[in-house]
Amino acid sequence: MKITAWVHITKTIGAAITPERIENMKCPRCGKETEWLRALSRVDNKTMICDECGTKEALDAAGLTEGSSIRKSILACVGRGSTPQERAEAKIRATGNMWAMENFRDTHN
């Protein structure tokens, strides 16, 4: 079994979040097999859960109930295989603006 852990320290809130990656891991909330547990559960602030469950907990907290069209649109984006940073970088690269690309690299790496 291969175990890899990453630590990301968020300076703005002073918290450390460690997404865990263990092959064939199951989300403790939904029971689905997943490669990543990157979301911190809002229920106990200790349990790492899958992206979809983390998004659902956030949408519940925001008041977007089951059946909401906005909720469905957001959940359709979960698990697309790229991070928000990667999507933003792709959009900047598509503009061809070298200054913007250099600025993005300097502020995100």
Side-chain angles (χ1 to χ4, degrees), residues 4-45:
T4 309
W6 290 265
V7 176
H8 172 69
I9 299 174
T10 307
K11 293 179 183 177
T12 55
I13 59 171
I17 299 173
T18 308
E20 296 178 19
R21 181 176 187 211
I22 302 174
E23 291 179 15
N24 300 320
M25 177 169 254
K26 285 190 179 183
C27 173
R29 185 169 182 259
C30 68
K32 289 182 187 175
E33 283 198 19
T34 182
E35 290 183 18
W36 298 94
L37 295 178
R38 294 187 276 207
L40 184 64
S41 175
R42 293 167 182 259
V43 175
D44 63 4
N45 280 337

Side-chain angles (χ1 to χ4, degrees), residues 38-102:
R38 294 187 276 207
L40 184 64
S41 175
R42 293 167 182 259
V43 175
D44 63 4
N45 280 337
K46 291 187 244 176
T47 307
M48 297 304 289
I49 56 178
C50 70
D51 292 349
E52 186 173 351
C53 288
T55 302
K56 285 180 180 179
E57 285 187 6
L59 293 173
D60 290 340
L64 295 172
T65 58
E66 291 287 333
S68 165
S69 62
I70 296 171
R71 181 183 177 106
K72 287 179 186 177
S73 298
I74 293 170
L75 289 174
C77 296
V78 175
R80 290 192 315 193
S82 63
T83 65
Q85 180 176 339
E86 291 168 337
R87 290 192 296 272
E89 184 177 11
K91 287 179 181 177
I92 292 168
R93 187 177 292 125
T95 67
N97 185 333
M98 295 307 290
W99 176 86
M101 200 58 217
E102 182 180 324

